[in-house]
């Protein structure tokens, strides 16, 4: 199974993501690598939801929401969008539950991206 097919099985809309970068598949793949770097830089841990100061957490979630949306990483985008709404509504426990639900999917997407890096 190829790179695109593996991502699509994980819920990624690869064709839409490539369309967002004007059909440049190599640019899309480069941006997927940047997504992995961003996840590592904007790491969100479960205990982050238990802290009183949520500004930094909201900033990281917002960054990841935007990036996953631009890359059409649909299950992650939907999860980060829901998390952002919950955090802005002062519902950190619910946002944490969403994060815990999408983390395994995110990890599988990251593993796929890393496996196919050139």
């Amino acid at each position: 199974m190829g790179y695109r097919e593996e991502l699509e099985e994980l819920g990624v809309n690869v064709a839409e993501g490539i369309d967002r970068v004007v059909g440049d598949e190599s640019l899309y793949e480069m941006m997927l690598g940047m997504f992995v770097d961003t996840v590592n830089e904007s790491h969100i841990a479960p205990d982050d939801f238990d802290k009183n100061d949520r500004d930094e957490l909201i900033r990281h979630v917002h960054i990841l929401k935007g990036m996953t949306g631009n890359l059409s990483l649909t299950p992650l985008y939907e999860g980060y969008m829901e998390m952002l709404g919950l955090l802005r509504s002062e519902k950190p426990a619910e946002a944490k539950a969403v994060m815990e639900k999408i983390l395994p999917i995110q990890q599988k997407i990251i593993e796929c991206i890393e496996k196919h890096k050139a």
Side-chain angles (χ1 to χ4, degrees):
M1 179 181 319
Y3 187 40
R4 289 178 71 157
E5 292 81 15
E6 284 184 49
L7 287 172
E8 287 167 356
E9 278 194 2
L10 294 169
V12 176
N13 188 335
V14 176
E16 180 181 273
I18 292 170
D19 284 347
R20 288 177 185 260
V21 293
V22 196
D24 188 338
E25 192 167 344
S26 64
L27 176 59
Y28 181 72
E29 289 179 16
M30 182 187 78
M31 290 179 69
L32 287 173
M34 291 170 62
F35 163 72
V36 174
D37 295 340
T38 301
V39 167
N40 292 330
E41 293 166 8
S42 295
H43 178 71
I44 300 171
D47 65 337
D48 292 339
F49 292 85
D50 301 325
K51 297 177 182 173
N52 288 330
D53 180 19
R54 293 202 178 48
D55 290 341
E56 190 70 7
L57 177 60
I58 288 172
R59 187 176 78 75
H60 288 292
V61 170
H62 189 267
I63 289 167
L64 291 168
K65 178 193 74 86
M67 186 164 241
T68 57
N70 287 333
L71 294 170
S72 298
L73 304 175
T74 308
L76 302 181
Y77 170 72
E78 291 170 352
Y80 282 116
M81 192 164 70
E82 184 178 358
M83 286 168 52
L84 192 58
L86 290 166
L87 288 169
R88 288 180 174 158
S89 298
E90 301 290 324
K91 298 178 181 176
E94 291 92 336
K96 180 179 179 180
V98 173
M99 185 209 69
E100 290 171 340
K101 186 174 92 176
I102 68 167
L103 276 181
I105 299 163
Q106 179 170 285
Q107 187 57 41
K108 288 178 184 178
I109 290 171
I110 288 172
E111 287 170 3
C112 179
I113 292 167
E114 289 180 332
K115 179 171 89 172
H116 294 283
K117 265 188 190 174

